[in-house]
Amino acid sequence: MDEVIEPIPIYAQGYFHVHRSGLIDQIIIYDYWDPGRVYESIIKDKKKLSEEINKLASNMQMFLDMEKVVINDKETHPIVVDVDIGLRGRPELAFIVFHIVFYGSLTPGVNKYVNIYEEEVVEYDYDVYWFFPEKTRVLKADLGVPHRVSGDGRVLFFHVEKGTRINGRETIIFKIES
């Protein structure tokens, strides 16, 4: 019997869209090298696809439940609301998209986001983008890695390379003008 070669994560991107209402839409996209074409096979079978999406959503929710997310000193709980699986032009290049939402009570003036999670060594490169609403400016970010702020102070970006030890704590302080 042929041994199945499991997909290997090779890159990820995270996008956080912060709304004035306090809603935060988080999109995470994982890219996989999939020489065994596992995801191609799953995508072709509606039952397998549904089962895999449910399993992925459950696994991601488990990881999110282990994190502590605090906005302005109030804990909030990220929830997986959607998962998609696809291919990037070749059956060996698969991706998984997670849509996650959470809420915070944002106020005019200074706001603080804190995420606490398990310290780890990163297994693949990833990029993270935070997009804040108009008339908002990032004042400070402590992410454990270098970052840059652009877009009139309302876009925060950081890159993490494979092999980096991340400390398990992120803090972003931002100001919302009234």
Side-chain angles (χ1 to χ4, degrees), residues 12-172:
Q13 291 177 306
Y15 299 93
F16 292 78
H17 295 270
V18 180
H19 304 269
R20 279 187 176 270
S21 67
L23 169 68
I24 300 174
D25 281 302
Q26 179 182 0
I27 306 295
I28 305 174
I29 305 168
Y30 291 95
D31 286 330
Y32 290 85
W33 172 243
D34 187 9
R37 298 180 172 189
V38 171
Y39 284 119
E40 179 189 38
S41 170
I42 288 170
I43 290 168
K44 289 179 177 180
D45 183 320
K46 287 187 190 272
K47 184 175 184 236
K48 283 184 184 177
L49 180 60
S50 178
E51 289 170 354
E52 185 69 11
I53 285 172
N54 289 334
K55 181 179 92 176
L56 290 167
S58 178
N59 287 345
M60 176 59 80
Q61 190 62 57
M62 180 187 68
F63 285 111
L64 293 172
D65 291 346
M66 293 188 311
E67 295 183 6
K68 182 174 183 180
V69 179
V70 178
I71 298 174
N72 292 333
D73 298 321
K74 292 184 182 171
E75 192 167 353
T76 184
H77 301 282
I79 305 293
V80 176
V81 294
D82 196 23
V83 178
D84 190 27
I85 302 171
L87 303 173
R88 292 203 186 275
R90 304 175 43 182
E92 300 87 8
L93 295 175
F95 65 86
I96 298 172
V97 180
F98 292 93
H99 180 194
I100 298 161
V101 297
F102 55 101
Y103 297 87
S105 182
L106 302 181
T107 60
V110 177
N111 293 267
K112 184 178 182 181
Y113 162 87
V114 177
N115 186 7
I116 302 167
Y117 48 90
E118 193 169 321
E119 190 176 313
E120 68 177 330
V121 176
V122 176
E123 295 180 22
Y124 43 81
D125 290 2
Y126 66 87
D127 293 321
V128 177
Y129 297 83
W130 280 81
F131 300 98
F132 290 89
E134 286 183 299
K135 297 182 180 179
T136 301
R137 191 173 76 251
V138 174
L139 301 176
K140 182 180 179 184
D142 183 2
L143 308 163
V145 295
H147 65 277
R148 79 169 185 265
V149 177
S150 62
D152 294 333
R154 59 183 211 93
V155 178
L156 172 67
F157 167 79
F158 60 98
H159 173 77
V160 182
E161 292 187 11
K162 178 180 179 176
T164 301
R165 174 169 290 285
I166 52 175
N167 64 13
R169 184 180 182 95
E170 299 173 1
T171 303
I172 303 170

